[in-house]
Structures are given as structure tokens and as C-alpha cells.
Amino acid sequence: MPPLATVTAQPDEWKESALPPPPAFEEKRLLPIEMPPHLSLNYGVDPATISVTGDGVVRYVVVASNKAGGASNAFYEGVRCSTEEVKQYARFNQGTWHDVANPEWKRINNLSSRYAKELAAQALCRGHAPRASVSEMIRNIKDPIREVQ
């Protein structure tokens, strides 16, 4: 009798869901992201733009503005809590969205800007999973929590 073949199950390869167009945002709705005080920029997220997709990506629009006043920039991004990565899909300037050419997932800890890491830690992720709901994320942006991860 020939030996039984062993079958090794391959985990399903993760695939990002289709990207919807950038959502409309309003600066008057921005909730500030708690950041170190020495930074020259303020960051805020429009809570109406936060969504969680079936693939586990939390998408949102964040706005960076100079503390001294003046111009602001908006970014349409996604955070993948399970792998601690962030991807920028589009930038808003001159009144319109501009797609990022070849957007890539990047380690959230390797970014020169800390806002995505702070937003993920304060509100979007619980460990390596998105928080239970968008309303929980919004509550945590309004009142940032600190968890040992």
C-alpha cells in the first residue's frame, strides 16, 4: 500500500478590496489627532470619512495644517492593523484629489510622519485588528486611550 500523501494547507493570500474614490471631507468636522507639541503641523481626521472594509483595511481622510495658519493638505489613506502598515491612495490640493502613482503598503513605524502611527494606536487599531466599530474609533479620537500593545 503506498504511503498517504500529506496535504499542507496554504493560507489564503490576502488581497486588498477594490478602492472606492476618495470620500468628500470637510475641515470643519476634523477631530484632532493627539501629537507631540513640538511638531509644526496639526493633524485631524474627518470622522465621516472613516470606513472599515471586509479585508480589514481602515480608510480615512486626514488633514495636515500649519499651526501658524495657512495652507493645509489632505490625504486619503488606509491602515492595515494586522500588519502595521499604511498606504496613501490620494492627495488633495488645488481643490481636487490626485491619485498617488503606484501606492504601496509601508511599515507604519518606518514613516517620517508620525500621524498615521498615532492615529492607529489612539483610535483605529486594537492590537493587530481594527476596533469593533467606526463609532468606537471616533470615540477614541475624541478621547485618546493608551493601551499596552
PDB file of all heavy atoms in Angstrom, residues 16-52:
ATOM      1  N   GLU A  16      -6.299  43.037  -1.196  1.00  0.00           N
ATOM      2  CA  GLU A  16      -6.991  44.268  -0.859  1.00  0.00           C
ATOM      3  C   GLU A  16      -8.244  44.421  -1.715  1.00  0.00           C
ATOM      4  O   GLU A  16      -8.233  44.147  -2.905  1.00  0.00           O
ATOM      5  CB  GLU A  16      -6.066  45.464  -1.064  1.00  0.00           C
ATOM      6  CG  GLU A  16      -6.654  46.776  -0.596  1.00  0.00           C
ATOM      7  CD  GLU A  16      -5.665  47.926  -0.640  1.00  0.00           C
ATOM      8  OE1 GLU A  16      -4.551  47.765  -1.192  1.00  0.00           O
ATOM      9  OE2 GLU A  16      -6.007  48.984  -0.109  1.00  0.00           O
ATOM     10  N   SER A  17      -9.321  44.874  -1.078  1.00  0.00           N
ATOM     11  CA  SER A  17     -10.573  45.086  -1.807  1.00  0.00           C
ATOM     12  C   SER A  17     -10.441  46.272  -2.756  1.00  0.00           C
ATOM     13  O   SER A  17      -9.510  47.072  -2.653  1.00  0.00           O
ATOM     14  CB  SER A  17     -11.727  45.314  -0.825  1.00  0.00           C
ATOM     15  OG  SER A  17     -11.482  46.472  -0.054  1.00  0.00           O
ATOM     16  N   ALA A  18     -11.373  46.383  -3.661  1.00  0.00           N
ATOM     17  CA  ALA A  18     -11.370  47.485  -4.622  1.00  0.00           C
ATOM     18  C   ALA A  18     -11.410  48.814  -3.878  1.00  0.00           C
ATOM     19  O   ALA A  18     -12.107  48.962  -2.872  1.00  0.00           O
ATOM     20  CB  ALA A  18     -12.565  47.364  -5.555  1.00  0.00           C
ATOM     21  N   LEU A  19     -10.668  49.753  -4.385  1.00  0.00           N
ATOM     22  CA  LEU A  19     -10.559  51.059  -3.739  1.00  0.00           C
ATOM     23  C   LEU A  19     -11.664  51.985  -4.219  1.00  0.00           C
ATOM     24  O   LEU A  19     -11.740  52.300  -5.401  1.00  0.00           O
ATOM     25  CB  LEU A  19      -9.188  51.676  -4.045  1.00  0.00           C
ATOM     26  CG  LEU A  19      -8.935  53.050  -3.455  1.00  0.00           C
ATOM     27  CD1 LEU A  19      -8.857  52.968  -1.934  1.00  0.00           C
ATOM     28  CD2 LEU A  19      -7.647  53.630  -4.024  1.00  0.00           C
ATOM     29  N   PRO A  20     -12.515  52.440  -3.289  1.00  0.00           N
ATOM     30  CA  PRO A  20     -13.511  53.426  -3.704  1.00  0.00           C
ATOM     31  C   PRO A  20     -12.840  54.782  -3.894  1.00  0.00           C
ATOM     32  O   PRO A  20     -11.728  55.007  -3.405  1.00  0.00           O
ATOM     33  CB  PRO A  20     -14.486  53.454  -2.516  1.00  0.00           C
ATOM     34  CG  PRO A  20     -13.699  52.970  -1.351  1.00  0.00           C
ATOM     35  CD  PRO A  20     -12.640  52.054  -1.897  1.00  0.00           C
ATOM     36  N   PRO A  21     -13.484  55.696  -4.592  1.00  0.00           N
ATOM     37  CA  PRO A  21     -12.892  57.025  -4.759  1.00  0.00           C
ATOM     38  C   PRO A  21     -12.769  57.719  -3.404  1.00  0.00           C
ATOM     39  O   PRO A  21     -13.476  57.371  -2.455  1.00  0.00           O
ATOM     40  CB  PRO A  21     -13.871  57.750  -5.673  1.00  0.00           C
ATOM     41  CG  PRO A  21     -15.132  56.975  -5.615  1.00  0.00           C
ATOM     42  CD  PRO A  21     -14.780  55.568  -5.239  1.00  0.00           C
ATOM     43  N   PRO A  22     -11.883  58.700  -3.304  1.00  0.00           N
ATOM     44  CA  PRO A  22     -11.739  59.420  -2.033  1.00  0.00           C
ATOM     45  C   PRO A  22     -13.073  60.029  -1.600  1.00  0.00           C
ATOM     46  O   PRO A  22     -13.797  60.592  -2.425  1.00  0.00           O
ATOM     47  CB  PRO A  22     -10.729  60.524  -2.348  1.00  0.00           C
ATOM     48  CG  PRO A  22      -9.984  60.030  -3.541  1.00  0.00           C
ATOM     49  CD  PRO A  22     -10.961  59.216  -4.325  1.00  0.00           C
ATOM     50  N   PRO A  23     -13.413  59.898  -0.319  1.00  0.00           N
ATOM     51  CA  PRO A  23     -14.678  60.469   0.149  1.00  0.00           C
ATOM     52  C   PRO A  23     -14.573  61.986   0.303  1.00  0.00           C
ATOM     53  O   PRO A  23     -13.486  62.530   0.484  1.00  0.00           O
ATOM     54  CB  PRO A  23     -14.877  59.798   1.515  1.00  0.00           C
ATOM     55  CG  PRO A  23     -13.504  59.460   1.968  1.00  0.00           C
ATOM     56  CD  PRO A  23     -12.706  59.164   0.726  1.00  0.00           C
ATOM     57  N   ALA A  24     -15.722  62.643   0.219  1.00  0.00           N
ATOM     58  CA  ALA A  24     -15.761  64.079   0.472  1.00  0.00           C
ATOM     59  C   ALA A  24     -15.418  64.316   1.945  1.00  0.00           C
ATOM     60  O   ALA A  24     -15.787  63.528   2.811  1.00  0.00           O
ATOM     61  CB  ALA A  24     -17.147  64.622   0.157  1.00  0.00           C
ATOM     62  N   PHE A  25     -14.695  65.388   2.212  1.00  0.00           N
ATOM     63  CA  PHE A  25     -14.344  65.717   3.591  1.00  0.00           C
ATOM     64  C   PHE A  25     -14.595  67.194   3.833  1.00  0.00           C
ATOM     65  O   PHE A  25     -14.687  67.980   2.894  1.00  0.00           O
ATOM     66  CB  PHE A  25     -12.884  65.357   3.883  1.00  0.00           C
ATOM     67  CG  PHE A  25     -11.887  66.262   3.215  1.00  0.00           C
ATOM     68  CD1 PHE A  25     -11.329  67.341   3.898  1.00  0.00           C
ATOM     69  CD2 PHE A  25     -11.510  66.054   1.892  1.00  0.00           C
ATOM     70  CE1 PHE A  25     -10.418  68.182   3.270  1.00  0.00           C
ATOM     71  CE2 PHE A  25     -10.602  66.883   1.261  1.00  0.00           C
ATOM     72  CZ  PHE A  25     -10.053  67.948   1.949  1.00  0.00           C
ATOM     73  N   GLU A  26     -14.720  67.535   5.110  1.00  0.00           N
ATOM     74  CA  GLU A  26     -14.908  68.934   5.492  1.00  0.00           C
ATOM     75  C   GLU A  26     -13.990  69.244   6.651  1.00  0.00           C
ATOM     76  O   GLU A  26     -14.000  68.532   7.664  1.00  0.00           O
ATOM     77  CB  GLU A  26     -16.362  69.193   5.885  1.00  0.00           C
ATOM     78  CG  GLU A  26     -17.325  69.114   4.728  1.00  0.00           C
ATOM     79  CD  GLU A  26     -18.728  69.550   5.111  1.00  0.00           C
ATOM     80  OE1 GLU A  26     -18.871  70.433   5.987  1.00  0.00           O
ATOM     81  OE2 GLU A  26     -19.673  69.003   4.526  1.00  0.00           O
ATOM     82  N   GLU A  27     -13.222  70.308   6.504  1.00  0.00           N
ATOM     83  CA  GLU A  27     -12.274  70.681   7.557  1.00  0.00           C
ATOM     84  C   GLU A  27     -12.986  71.052   8.855  1.00  0.00           C
ATOM     85  O   GLU A  27     -12.442  70.836   9.927  1.00  0.00           O
ATOM     86  CB  GLU A  27     -11.353  71.798   7.080  1.00  0.00           C
ATOM     87  CG  GLU A  27     -10.373  71.299   6.038  1.00  0.00           C
ATOM     88  CD  GLU A  27      -9.247  72.270   5.738  1.00  0.00           C
ATOM     89  OE1 GLU A  27      -8.664  72.822   6.686  1.00  0.00           O
ATOM     90  OE2 GLU A  27      -8.965  72.470   4.540  1.00  0.00           O
ATOM     91  N   LYS A  28     -14.224  71.557   8.771  1.00  0.00           N
ATOM     92  CA  LYS A  28     -14.929  71.942   9.994  1.00  0.00           C
ATOM     93  C   LYS A  28     -15.306  70.730  10.851  1.00  0.00           C
ATOM     94  O   LYS A  28     -15.595  70.871  12.029  1.00  0.00           O
ATOM     95  CB  LYS A  28     -16.158  72.784   9.668  1.00  0.00           C
ATOM     96  CG  LYS A  28     -17.257  72.041   8.947  1.00  0.00           C
ATOM     97  CD  LYS A  28     -18.424  72.953   8.632  1.00  0.00           C
ATOM     98  CE  LYS A  28     -19.519  72.173   7.909  1.00  0.00           C
ATOM     99  NZ  LYS A  28     -20.613  73.028   7.526  1.00  0.00           N
ATOM    100  N   ARG A  29     -15.293  69.531  10.269  1.00  0.00           N
ATOM    101  CA  ARG A  29     -15.621  68.311  11.025  1.00  0.00           C
ATOM    102  C   ARG A  29     -14.388  67.649  11.641  1.00  0.00           C
ATOM    103  O   ARG A  29     -14.522  66.662  12.361  1.00  0.00           O
ATOM    104  CB  ARG A  29     -16.288  67.279  10.112  1.00  0.00           C
ATOM    105  CG  ARG A  29     -17.682  67.608   9.682  1.00  0.00           C
ATOM    106  CD  ARG A  29     -18.358  66.411   9.040  1.00  0.00           C
ATOM    107  NE  ARG A  29     -17.631  65.888   7.894  1.00  0.00           N
ATOM    108  CZ  ARG A  29     -18.150  65.716   6.684  1.00  0.00           C
ATOM    109  NH1 ARG A  29     -19.413  66.035   6.446  1.00  0.00           N
ATOM    110  NH2 ARG A  29     -17.434  65.232   5.695  1.00  0.00           N
ATOM    111  N   LEU A  30     -13.196  68.141  11.357  1.00  0.00           N
ATOM    112  CA  LEU A  30     -11.972  67.451  11.769  1.00  0.00           C
ATOM    113  C   LEU A  30     -11.904  67.251  13.277  1.00  0.00           C
ATOM    114  O   LEU A  30     -12.193  68.165  14.059  1.00  0.00           O
ATOM    115  CB  LEU A  30     -10.736  68.225  11.318  1.00  0.00           C
ATOM    116  CG  LEU A  30     -10.502  68.320   9.823  1.00  0.00           C
ATOM    117  CD1 LEU A  30      -9.245  69.135   9.545  1.00  0.00           C
ATOM    118  CD2 LEU A  30     -10.402  66.944   9.184  1.00  0.00           C
ATOM    119  N   LEU A  31     -11.489  66.047  13.638  1.00  0.00           N
ATOM    120  CA  LEU A  31     -11.170  65.739  15.034  1.00  0.00           C
ATOM    121  C   LEU A  31      -9.654  65.686  15.127  1.00  0.00           C
ATOM    122  O   LEU A  31      -9.009  64.972  14.350  1.00  0.00           O
ATOM    123  CB  LEU A  31     -11.768  64.391  15.438  1.00  0.00           C
ATOM    124  CG  LEU A  31     -13.292  64.289  15.366  1.00  0.00           C
ATOM    125  CD1 LEU A  31     -13.733  62.870  15.680  1.00  0.00           C
ATOM    126  CD2 LEU A  31     -13.935  65.288  16.316  1.00  0.00           C
ATOM    127  N   PRO A  32      -9.061  66.435  16.068  1.00  0.00           N
ATOM    128  CA  PRO A  32      -7.601  66.472  16.137  1.00  0.00           C
ATOM    129  C   PRO A  32      -7.011  65.132  16.577  1.00  0.00           C
ATOM    130  O   PRO A  32      -7.584  64.427  17.402  1.00  0.00           O
ATOM    131  CB  PRO A  32      -7.311  67.564  17.167  1.00  0.00           C
ATOM    132  CG  PRO A  32      -8.565  67.717  17.951  1.00  0.00           C
ATOM    133  CD  PRO A  32      -9.698  67.283  17.066  1.00  0.00           C
ATOM    134  N   ILE A  33      -5.864  64.815  15.993  1.00  0.00           N
ATOM    135  CA  ILE A  33      -5.091  63.645  16.397  1.00  0.00           C
ATOM    136  C   ILE A  33      -4.076  64.150  17.416  1.00  0.00           C
ATOM    137  O   ILE A  33      -3.357  65.121  17.162  1.00  0.00           O
ATOM    138  CB  ILE A  33      -4.362  63.013  15.196  1.00  0.00           C
ATOM    139  CG1 ILE A  33      -5.377  62.584  14.133  1.00  0.00           C
ATOM    140  CG2 ILE A  33      -3.507  61.829  15.649  1.00  0.00           C
ATOM    141  CD1 ILE A  33      -4.744  62.198  12.808  1.00  0.00           C
ATOM    142  N   GLU A  34      -4.033  63.521  18.557  1.00  0.00           N
ATOM    143  CA  GLU A  34      -3.098  63.938  19.603  1.00  0.00           C
ATOM    144  C   GLU A  34      -1.672  63.648  19.149  1.00  0.00           C
ATOM    145  O   GLU A  34      -1.311  62.510  18.851  1.00  0.00           O
ATOM    146  CB  GLU A  34      -3.413  63.185  20.897  1.00  0.00           C
ATOM    147  CG  GLU A  34      -2.697  63.720  22.101  1.00  0.00           C
ATOM    148  CD  GLU A  34      -3.174  63.037  23.368  1.00  0.00           C
ATOM    149  OE1 GLU A  34      -4.333  63.251  23.755  1.00  0.00           O
ATOM    150  OE2 GLU A  34      -2.368  62.281  23.944  1.00  0.00           O
ATOM    151  N   MET A  35      -0.875  64.719  19.086  1.00  0.00           N
ATOM    152  CA  MET A  35       0.507  64.620  18.603  1.00  0.00           C
ATOM    153  C   MET A  35       1.429  65.326  19.584  1.00  0.00           C
ATOM    154  O   MET A  35       0.982  66.173  20.362  1.00  0.00           O
ATOM    155  CB  MET A  35       0.627  65.292  17.223  1.00  0.00           C
ATOM    156  CG  MET A  35      -0.201  64.649  16.120  1.00  0.00           C
ATOM    157  SD  MET A  35       0.350  63.007  15.649  1.00  0.00           S
ATOM    158  CE  MET A  35       1.900  63.378  14.865  1.00  0.00           C
ATOM    159  N   PRO A  36       2.739  65.029  19.534  1.00  0.00           N
ATOM    160  CA  PRO A  36       3.683  65.747  20.390  1.00  0.00           C
ATOM    161  C   PRO A  36       3.613  67.249  20.117  1.00  0.00           C
ATOM    162  O   PRO A  36       3.488  67.669  18.962  1.00  0.00           O
ATOM    163  CB  PRO A  36       5.044  65.172  19.989  1.00  0.00           C
ATOM    164  CG  PRO A  36       4.730  63.829  19.407  1.00  0.00           C
ATOM    165  CD  PRO A  36       3.383  63.979  18.756  1.00  0.00           C
ATOM    166  N   PRO A  37       3.702  68.079  21.158  1.00  0.00           N
ATOM    167  CA  PRO A  37       3.520  69.527  20.990  1.00  0.00           C
ATOM    168  C   PRO A  37       4.607  70.226  20.184  1.00  0.00           C
ATOM    169  O   PRO A  37       4.377  71.310  19.665  1.00  0.00           O
ATOM    170  CB  PRO A  37       3.476  70.052  22.425  1.00  0.00           C
ATOM    171  CG  PRO A  37       4.121  68.999  23.251  1.00  0.00           C
ATOM    172  CD  PRO A  37       3.903  67.701  22.543  1.00  0.00           C
ATOM    173  N   HIS A  38       5.778  69.636  20.032  1.00  0.00           N
ATOM    174  CA  HIS A  38       6.869  70.302  19.319  1.00  0.00           C
ATOM    175  C   HIS A  38       6.711  70.281  17.793  1.00  0.00           C
ATOM    176  O   HIS A  38       7.439  70.961  17.088  1.00  0.00           O
ATOM    177  CB  HIS A  38       8.219  69.679  19.703  1.00  0.00           C
ATOM    178  CG  HIS A  38       8.367  68.256  19.242  1.00  0.00           C
ATOM    179  ND1 HIS A  38       7.885  67.194  19.978  1.00  0.00           N
ATOM    180  CD2 HIS A  38       8.914  67.736  18.127  1.00  0.00           C
ATOM    181  CE1 HIS A  38       8.143  66.075  19.332  1.00  0.00           C
ATOM    182  NE2 HIS A  38       8.765  66.370  18.203  1.00  0.00           N
ATOM    183  N   LEU A  39       5.748  69.539  17.281  1.00  0.00           N
ATOM    184  CA  LEU A  39       5.557  69.466  15.836  1.00  0.00           C
ATOM    185  C   LEU A  39       4.936  70.760  15.301  1.00  0.00           C
ATOM    186  O   LEU A  39       4.126  71.396  15.972  1.00  0.00           O
ATOM    187  CB  LEU A  39       4.675  68.276  15.471  1.00  0.00           C
ATOM    188  CG  LEU A  39       5.250  66.900  15.822  1.00  0.00           C
ATOM    189  CD1 LEU A  39       4.265  65.806  15.457  1.00  0.00           C
ATOM    190  CD2 LEU A  39       6.572  66.675  15.131  1.00  0.00           C
ATOM    191  N   SER A  40       5.301  71.127  14.082  1.00  0.00           N
ATOM    192  CA  SER A  40       4.816  72.378  13.498  1.00  0.00           C
ATOM    193  C   SER A  40       3.480  72.226  12.778  1.00  0.00           C
ATOM    194  O   SER A  40       2.909  73.212  12.329  1.00  0.00           O
ATOM    195  CB  SER A  40       5.859  72.946  12.537  1.00  0.00           C
ATOM    196  OG  SER A  40       6.069  72.038  11.473  1.00  0.00           O
ATOM    197  N   LEU A  41       2.980  71.010  12.668  1.00  0.00           N
ATOM    198  CA  LEU A  41       1.715  70.768  11.980  1.00  0.00           C
ATOM    199  C   LEU A  41       0.664  70.216  12.935  1.00  0.00           C
ATOM    200  O   LEU A  41       0.990  69.481  13.867  1.00  0.00           O
ATOM    201  CB  LEU A  41       1.905  69.773  10.835  1.00  0.00           C
ATOM    202  CG  LEU A  41       2.804  70.205   9.683  1.00  0.00           C
ATOM    203  CD1 LEU A  41       2.977  69.065   8.696  1.00  0.00           C
ATOM    204  CD2 LEU A  41       2.265  71.445   8.994  1.00  0.00           C
ATOM    205  N   ASN A  42      -0.581  70.574  12.665  1.00  0.00           N
ATOM    206  CA  ASN A  42      -1.730  69.958  13.330  1.00  0.00           C
ATOM    207  C   ASN A  42      -2.299  68.925  12.380  1.00  0.00           C
ATOM    208  O   ASN A  42      -2.314  69.130  11.163  1.00  0.00           O
ATOM    209  CB  ASN A  42      -2.818  71.004  13.624  1.00  0.00           C
ATOM    210  CG  ASN A  42      -2.437  71.944  14.730  1.00  0.00           C
ATOM    211  OD1 ASN A  42      -1.839  71.549  15.723  1.00  0.00           O
ATOM    212  ND2 ASN A  42      -2.785  73.207  14.563  1.00  0.00           N
ATOM    213  N   TYR A  43      -2.786  67.822  12.937  1.00  0.00           N
ATOM    214  CA  TYR A  43      -3.396  66.769  12.133  1.00  0.00           C
ATOM    215  C   TYR A  43      -4.796  66.501  12.656  1.00  0.00           C
ATOM    216  O   TYR A  43      -5.017  66.471  13.869  1.00  0.00           O
ATOM    217  CB  TYR A  43      -2.579  65.474  12.202  1.00  0.00           C
ATOM    218  CG  TYR A  43      -1.217  65.601  11.594  1.00  0.00           C
ATOM    219  CD1 TYR A  43      -0.121  65.984  12.360  1.00  0.00           C
ATOM    220  CD2 TYR A  43      -1.022  65.352  10.242  1.00  0.00           C
ATOM    221  CE1 TYR A  43       1.133  66.109  11.786  1.00  0.00           C
ATOM    222  CE2 TYR A  43       0.227  65.473   9.668  1.00  0.00           C
ATOM    223  CZ  TYR A  43       1.301  65.848  10.448  1.00  0.00           C
ATOM    224  OH  TYR A  43       2.539  65.973   9.884  1.00  0.00           O
ATOM    225  N   GLY A  44      -5.716  66.289  11.736  1.00  0.00           N
ATOM    226  CA  GLY A  44      -7.075  65.941  12.114  1.00  0.00           C
ATOM    227  C   GLY A  44      -7.665  64.985  11.102  1.00  0.00           C
ATOM    228  O   GLY A  44      -7.263  64.959   9.939  1.00  0.00           O
ATOM    229  N   VAL A  45      -8.625  64.197  11.553  1.00  0.00           N
ATOM    230  CA  VAL A  45      -9.294  63.247  10.675  1.00  0.00           C
ATOM    231  C   VAL A  45     -10.783  63.605  10.639  1.00  0.00           C
ATOM    232  O   VAL A  45     -11.358  63.991  11.656  1.00  0.00           O
ATOM    233  CB  VAL A  45      -9.053  61.789  11.132  1.00  0.00           C
ATOM    234  CG1 VAL A  45      -9.645  61.499  12.483  1.00  0.00           C
ATOM    235  CG2 VAL A  45      -9.555  60.791  10.111  1.00  0.00           C
ATOM    236  N   ASP A  46     -11.373  63.531   9.461  1.00  0.00           N
ATOM    237  CA  ASP A  46     -12.804  63.765   9.314  1.00  0.00           C
ATOM    238  C   ASP A  46     -13.498  62.448   9.648  1.00  0.00           C
ATOM    239  O   ASP A  46     -13.342  61.460   8.925  1.00  0.00           O
ATOM    240  CB  ASP A  46     -13.127  64.209   7.885  1.00  0.00           C
ATOM    241  CG  ASP A  46     -14.607  64.483   7.670  1.00  0.00           C
ATOM    242  OD1 ASP A  46     -15.447  64.051   8.498  1.00  0.00           O
ATOM    243  OD2 ASP A  46     -14.934  65.116   6.648  1.00  0.00           O
ATOM    244  N   PRO A  47     -14.260  62.401  10.739  1.00  0.00           N
ATOM    245  CA  PRO A  47     -14.876  61.135  11.147  1.00  0.00           C
ATOM    246  C   PRO A  47     -15.846  60.570  10.121  1.00  0.00           C
ATOM    247  O   PRO A  47     -16.046  59.354  10.063  1.00  0.00           O
ATOM    248  CB  PRO A  47     -15.590  61.495  12.456  1.00  0.00           C
ATOM    249  CG  PRO A  47     -15.777  62.964  12.411  1.00  0.00           C
ATOM    250  CD  PRO A  47     -14.619  63.508  11.622  1.00  0.00           C
ATOM    251  N   ALA A  48     -16.417  61.435   9.282  1.00  0.00           N
ATOM    252  CA  ALA A  48     -17.358  60.967   8.266  1.00  0.00           C
ATOM    253  C   ALA A  48     -16.668  60.169   7.166  1.00  0.00           C
ATOM    254  O   ALA A  48     -17.329  59.506   6.371  1.00  0.00           O
ATOM    255  CB  ALA A  48     -18.115  62.152   7.657  1.00  0.00           C
ATOM    256  N   THR A  49     -15.337  60.210   7.112  1.00  0.00           N
ATOM    257  CA  THR A  49     -14.598  59.507   6.065  1.00  0.00           C
ATOM    258  C   THR A  49     -14.054  58.151   6.514  1.00  0.00           C
ATOM    259  O   THR A  49     -13.499  57.422   5.701  1.00  0.00           O
ATOM    260  CB  THR A  49     -13.422  60.354   5.563  1.00  0.00           C
ATOM    261  OG1 THR A  49     -12.454  60.505   6.626  1.00  0.00           O
ATOM    262  CG2 THR A  49     -13.883  61.717   5.086  1.00  0.00           C
ATOM    263  N   ILE A  50     -14.189  57.812   7.777  1.00  0.00           N
ATOM    264  CA  ILE A  50     -13.635  56.556   8.293  1.00  0.00           C
ATOM    265  C   ILE A  50     -14.518  55.391   7.871  1.00  0.00           C
ATOM    266  O   ILE A  50     -15.738  55.425   8.038  1.00  0.00           O
ATOM    267  CB  ILE A  50     -13.501  56.586   9.824  1.00  0.00           C
ATOM    268  CG1 ILE A  50     -12.575  57.724  10.263  1.00  0.00           C
ATOM    269  CG2 ILE A  50     -12.974  55.243  10.344  1.00  0.00           C
ATOM    270  CD1 ILE A  50     -12.553  57.953  11.762  1.00  0.00           C
ATOM    271  N   SER A  51     -13.881  54.357   7.319  1.00  0.00           N
ATOM    272  CA  SER A  51     -14.603  53.137   6.958  1.00  0.00           C
ATOM    273  C   SER A  51     -13.690  51.938   7.181  1.00  0.00           C
ATOM    274  O   SER A  51     -12.468  52.063   7.145  1.00  0.00           O
ATOM    275  CB  SER A  51     -15.061  53.183   5.496  1.00  0.00           C
ATOM    276  OG  SER A  51     -13.944  53.148   4.636  1.00  0.00           O
ATOM    277  N   VAL A  52     -14.309  50.800   7.422  1.00  0.00           N
ATOM    278  CA  VAL A  52     -13.572  49.544   7.558  1.00  0.00           C
ATOM    279  C   VAL A  52     -14.094  48.614   6.479  1.00  0.00           C
ATOM    280  O   VAL A  52     -15.300  48.381   6.380  1.00  0.00           O
ATOM    281  CB  VAL A  52     -13.770  48.904   8.947  1.00  0.00           C
ATOM    282  CG1 VAL A  52     -12.933  47.631   9.076  1.00  0.00           C
ATOM    283  CG2 VAL A  52     -13.423  49.884  10.051  1.00  0.00           C
TER     284      VAL A  52
END
